Every structure is written in structure tokens, then in C-alpha cells.
Amino acid sequence: MIKKILKILLIFSFGIIYSQDFEWGKVSQEEIDLKSVSFEPGADAVTLKEYGELKIDYVGYELEEHIRMKILSSNGFPFAQKKWSYNSKNRFDKVIFREAQTINIVEGKTVITPIDKKDILVYNKSNDVEELAIAFPNVNVGSIIEYKVKIIRPYNIYYSAWNFQNAIPTIFSKLKLKSASGTYNLIFPTPMLAKKYRNKSKEREWEISNIPSYNKYHHIYSISDNIERIIFQYTSAKNFSGTYYSENTWEGFRKLINSKKEKSIEDLDFKEFANKIPNGINKLETVKNCLKFLRDNYKWDEYYATDTDRLKSNFLRIKKGNSADFNIFLQGILKEKKINSQLAVNSLRSNGRIVVGYPILSKLQTLVTIVSIDNLEKLMLDAAISKPEDVHYLSKNYFNHLVYGLDNIDNNFIEVSPTLSEYVSQQELEIKTDSLNLKIRDQYNGYFELSDYNSQSAIKEPVINIKQGDKKEVDEWKINYRHISVEKPNETFVTLENPFTDIIKNLSVEKERDYPIELDFPFLKTIQMKVKIPEGYKIETNNFQEKISSFNGNLQYVQEIQEKGEESTITWSLLINKLIFDTSEIPEYNNFINDVSNTFSKIIALKKK
């Protein structure tokens, strides 16, 4: 069963409530004395207090911000600069600077330096985007900076206008909803706010304290999935009822998209186009031919979308379209070629995961195509960008573990994962009296980039010369040859250490982690070294054989040695074939990583007799 992400959903009509902001320029002795953050030692800066007043309506929002921060070290000086971007051609998109100042305590007296006009810059970032930037004056370690700004955004607020968690730790954060039009869903996707306001549906003010920075997060796709925040989304009471923006159920959302899709393909004869594309020797080759046809004849406008206008009068006429255009068109062609496929809604990793319990519109960015091919394998394609020569490896940014299928079935959520990438390194070690020589043949496919693995070897001697050899490609494999030599090695023994030490270290997570683990892509890495035992040497091992398995074999580690005459073959192999681990799975994950780490003490030594 797919486990639901923690969330609380509250539906209500907003009223108007007023509350007090903290006083401008009046700092407490506690703020003056603060030199470090108890819940995040080593922080370079801290938000002492932040307060926001939010107004929302049918087309956007207005947010008044009052922020007070303190610089704790010289590394915190960059936080004394603030920037805001806005669309200069949209008169409803604005950033209004109110006031700002730097507060220092000099010989026990408060010295306030207000911001000057010269400290405020406005410049063009692009043709449509301007940026307002302020640099606080007279900033030193211990300075307190404070500012007020008003942000006006003409965007539908199906995302958060206010984050309680930031790039630096926050001691106190508060948001007040001052006014709103219509009714909204209010979603708490993260633990601190959800726990505090679980049964308080009539609250119009939300506050939490002692919030660590989001820099602690690692092995996640999107910080936005984990930072403390509130998400607002229109309900069906919105005056645009019957649109994506007003739909509150997955089933309703699916029906809307399918209805729009059917309208987009009216009067379109897919057979006409399917007949132009040759069939391959199997379904996979036919799919590749279809993608090549798209690449050769149509251009992606670099816009992600879940819906489209009429394909015949738009996409096919101008030969350019968004991701929805491409995928709807591809599915129509595949249907004519009797290849089973399904359209699905996906979110990019950089934007955050789909939430199973509720269709949060900011998470539903694009359509993809799930294609069933000859060996019952299912490929996830984006017809707008998938390469015919590399159909198994869509950009990693598309994979968010779950996509929402648009076929009418009992469970429309489909678990997806990138195709397994493989790396195989075949190595031959030659031991001489004055040098060690290692001939290596690396081959890899999928998401592996060879430059990331050139240094991997069981030889850890201090002086290593690496010479790159030939490179070539065979089928889906890229192959590279290299030669490593170690001059003047230890004359009495040679130690072979585990080449996966750095990888396991990178995969390690903290024991008390309270948010999911999201790894990059599934892979199988194998390093096999043949060692010809020179005369006068012997090989020593200490219970070297190991096989460690977890999550029903989706995580595996193997190390073994086979001896045949004067030659020994040593193999290290690591399989990571599961990417997402929820909080309940973290103990088992950590046990696997720890068990593998414990094998690193089992080295192989070649010693003189």
C-alpha cells in the first residue's frame, strides 16, 4: 500500500482578525546578548523574529513582512543583503520597500543606521524581470538588521506565500491571515505546524518557535517538501468553479484533464501520422521511431503543462507546443500502432512530490507517457524531450516516485523509478619490485558519468599516476580504458581496501532522521580485480566473504575472493534498487549501511613470504 505523506486538511471561510506586530527598532536584552543558537550551534546568522500579514483574493495575494535578523559570524554577512524579483511588465506584480535599518550596540548604547537611497538598487535580470536589492549599512558581527517590505503577487496562490523555515535558523515566526475572498483549503504538509494546529480549524494566526534552518536536509529532491509552511488552495466555492484551480478531489481532477484532452484531439486522425512512422522489429524500436518523428518535425516550447488547446489547429499547424501537446500526440500515435500506453500527471523533483491525499496544484506540473513494451517493462517518457537513442533514461528531475495515471482504474497512482544504471570496472593488478600497475576497463550506462568514478580503485598508495586510454561506445554501454601506476610501493606488503568507502559514506544518514530519504537513481556497481600473485608473495584475508541484503534484496552488498592457482579474483558489488525510504524504513536502511561499513575493516593484503 502506498503510504500517505503527513498532512492536515482544513476547509473554512476566512474572516478578519487583527493582531499586534513586534515593535520596530526595539530590541530586547536577550536579543542583544545572543551569540549562538542553542538548537543549531555554529549558525552564522539567525532570524530573531519574523511576522507576516497576508491578504488573498481570487487572483493573487499581498504580503506585508517584518523581519529581524542577527549576524553571528563574518560568514553571515551575505544575509545582510536582500533581493526580490518581480515582473516589470506586470503592474500588479510589485515589491514595495518600506524601511530598513541596522542596529548595533556600541559601548552599551544603541546605534541605529537607517538604510540610505544608495543602499537600494533596482536592475534588470532579463527582459521582463527586475530585481530590487538592498545592502544593509554598517554591518558587523553582532549587528541586528531589520526591514519591512510589501510583496504583491498576481498569481493564484495554490502554493505558500510564507515559509516558517528558512536558510538560517528562526527563533520565532508568525503569519496572520488579515483578509481573504471566498473559501480556501488550508494544507499543513509538514510536522511542526500540523501537530500544533491539527484540531484548530478556526485559527487565523499561526506561529512556531525554534525552527532549524533547512540546510540540515540532504538526500531529498525538494526542500519545499519538508520546510515548515502553509499551503493555500481555492475550493470549489471559487468563482472559477469547474477548473483545475477549484477541483478538490483526484477523481474530479482526472475527469477535468481527460475532458480537456478529448476536446483537444477532436477531428484529429492519428492514423495519418502513424502511417508515416515505420514500425520497428519490436515495440521498443517502434517507440523510438515515434520519438524520432517528433524530434524531427516538432519543437518543444520549454513549457511544462497538463492541458492543451486543440492539437490540430495549434500544435500541428505551428509545429511547436508544450509537454502536454507532445504527450497527448504521442499516445494517439501509439494507440494506432497497438502499443499500450497511459498518460500520467507528474511533478518535477525540483518542485516537490505529489501528495497522495490531495491534488495540490503546484505539485502537478506536466504530463508524461507510461509505455508498456515487449518484456512487460514500463517506460516513463516525456514525448517533448525523451531521446530516441536513450529512452530508458528520462531526466532524473522527472521522477518523484509516484505519478497519477489518467486511465479510469481503481488506483490511479503508479509507482515509478528510473531504470537501473550499471557500472562495471574490470581491473588487472600487476606487482613489480619497483611499481604497481593497474589496467582498468570501465563500462557504464544510464545516469553514470565516468568522471565521477575515475578515482575508484582498491589501491590507496600515496603516489598514483593515472593515464587515460581509449574511449568507445558499444550498444548502450560507454567504455573507457585507463592505467594507474604506483611508484616505489611498500616492498613488504600491498593492501587492497574497499573501493566503495566514499559511496557508503555519502549514502549514510543520521540515526534520528525524521523525514524521508530520497536517493538519486538506482544502480548496480561492480568492481572486479584480478591479481596475479608474484613469486615470493602470499595473499592474506580475514573472513573476507560477505553478503548483506535488505528490503527484499533491493539493497545488496557482496564481496568475495576466488583463488585459482597463482591468480586471485576479488569482487566488490553494491546494488541500490530502491530510492524512496519513508521514516519507518530508516532504521532498516541504516542497519544496511552500518553492516556494509563494518566490512571495510576486512582488507586484503599481499605480503612477502
Side-chain angles (χ1 to χ4, degrees), residues 84-99:
W84 298 268
S85 295
Y86 54 92
N87 188 329
S88 59
K89 295 184 178 180
N90 187 331
R91 63 189 181 93
F92 299 107
D93 189 7
K94 298 179 182 178
V95 177
I96 302 172
F97 173 72
R98 299 293 200 197
E99 54 186 331

Side-chain angles (χ1 to χ4, degrees), residues 380-471:
M380 185 166 76
L381 308 174
D382 184 341
I385 70 162
S386 286
K387 300 176 182 178
E389 68 275 12
D390 210 15
V391 294
H392 290 92
Y393 302 101
L394 181 60
S395 167
K396 288 178 291 184
N397 195 28
Y398 282 73
F399 295 95
N400 269 303
H401 185 50
L402 293 176
V403 297
Y404 183 73
L406 296 182
D407 284 358
N408 187 15
I409 55 178
D410 292 336
N411 185 3
N412 287 78
F413 288 99
I414 304 168
E415 293 196 35
V416 295
S417 178
T419 303
L420 188 75
S421 297
E422 293 184 75
Y423 170 84
V424 180
S425 183
Q426 296 173 316
Q427 308 181 5
E428 293 183 8
L429 178 63
E430 179 185 30
I431 302 175
K432 295 183 177 181
T433 56
D434 59 347
S435 66
L436 296 179
N437 295 292
L438 193 60
K439 295 179 180 179
I440 300 176
R441 179 186 185 273
D442 294 315
Q443 66 178 55
Y444 65 102
N445 62 20
Y447 297 104
F448 279 126
E449 292 296 333
L450 194 59
S451 59
D452 295 336
Y453 305 98
N454 276 347
S455 61
Q456 286 186 3
S457 171
I459 301 294
K460 302 296 181 182
E461 297 291 339
V463 181
I464 297 180
N465 297 317
I466 302 177
K467 293 182 180 180
Q468 297 294 342
D470 296 335
K471 295 182 180 180

